[in-house]
Amino acid sequence: MVLEKINSHRIILASRSPRRKQLLEDLGIRFEIVCHDWNEDYPEGLKGSEIALHLATLKAETFREQVKDGEIIITADTIVWCNNKVLGKPSDEQEAIGIISEISGNTHDVITGVCLLSARRSRSFYSTTKVTFERLTPSEIEYYVRNYRPYDKAGAYGIQEWIGLAGCSHIEGSYFNVMGLPVEKVYHELQLLAVDEID
């Protein structure tokens, strides 16, 4: 069976993201969700992929003393990197409008860091997707924010929602990474880790 080695383990997704949950389900992986509360601060001076990897690894480390033989923890963190800075999750409508206004008519990087942790080892990696948006009008931006309330999303948008359909003109890299998880990389890295664990 294609997924036999992976599904012979207890897979734990340490994420509250409904998009990550859906992507793993669509991949056919059996998993549970267990979440901790995380501090998402990172050292000054880190950039782009360094931030995403640092945060994903930090999340995994909170499970270090708990992970048992036969278990694999998946942690992830997605950031939007634009104009040499992070565009995070907006706290309110005005901040969401401001973030999308910066993305509008611009190209940005969506970077997801992932850490797979077992009792014996860990594997960390990241995926970067370049996303270009056409220039959106203020009324289009306000329409999206008020109707979709993207306050739980890095960069204040979901590529699978209205704004992606209406505004995204070019993607270079994994579409699923923009949704929050580079599932093709996760699948292959899980296969490698699962084989290592069995051996």
Side-chain angles (χ1 to χ4, degrees):
M1 294 258 321
V2 171
L3 293 164
E4 185 175 1
K5 288 186 175 66
I6 294 174
N7 284 334
S8 67
H9 293 73
R10 182 188 180 210
I11 306 296
I12 297 170
L13 174 63
S15 175
R16 295 182 178 90
S17 165
R19 276 108 24 214
R20 291 184 185 134
K21 175 178 179 288
Q22 186 64 55
L23 288 169
L24 275 191
E25 286 175 349
D26 291 346
L27 195 58
I29 292 174
R30 294 195 299 268
F31 64 95
E32 304 166 39
I33 293 177
V34 178
C35 290
H36 291 171
D37 290 322
W38 294 290
N39 178 353
E40 296 195 349
D41 294 335
Y42 53 86
E44 286 186 29
L46 296 186
K47 295 185 177 182
S49 61
E50 296 171 333
I51 297 170
L53 276 175
H54 174 82
L55 292 174
T57 304
L58 204 62
K59 291 175 180 180
E61 285 300 317
T62 66
F63 289 88
R64 176 70 68 179
E65 302 302 317
Q66 301 167 246
V67 63
K68 300 173 183 175
D69 285 338
E71 295 180 341
I72 298 175
I73 313 291
I74 303 172
T75 59
D77 197 274
T78 301
I79 67 164
V80 169
W81 186 254
C82 184
N83 296 328
N84 209 36
K85 65 181 179 182
V86 173
L87 300 182
K89 298 174 183 176
S91 57
D92 55 32
E93 182 178 297
Q94 283 308 117
E95 189 175 2
I97 289 171
I99 289 172
I100 297 174
S101 296
E102 188 158 356
I103 288 171
S104 172
N106 208 343
T107 297
H108 60 273
D109 291 338
V110 178
I111 308 167
T112 301
V114 180
C115 186
L116 307 180
L117 176 70
S118 73
R120 292 190 286 171
R121 68 202 78 203
S122 66
R123 302 178 74 92
S124 297
F125 54 94
Y126 71 92
S127 179
T128 301
T129 305
K130 288 194 174 297
V131 181
T132 301
F133 271 84
E134 294 298 303
R135 187 159 298 282
L136 299 162
T137 66
S139 61
E140 288 170 334
I141 295 171
E142 289 173 12
Y143 169 83
Y144 172 69
V145 170
R146 288 173 182 166
N147 284 278
Y148 291 85
R149 303 179 62 79
Y151 306 129
D152 65 333
K153 298 176 177 69
Y157 78 93
I159 193 70
Q160 72 279 10
E161 295 176 340
W162 182 87
I163 196 168
L165 298 172
C168 179
S169 61
H170 186 72
I171 292 179
E172 183 181 333
S174 168
Y175 171 83
F176 300 110
N177 182 52
V178 187
M179 287 181 65
L181 196 67
V183 281
E184 73 290 344
K185 278 194 174 184
V186 170
Y187 169 72
H188 289 293
E189 292 289 341
L190 275 174
Q191 290 276 35
L192 291 172
L193 186 58
V195 168
D196 287 347
E197 289 295 298
I198 291 169
D199 293 344

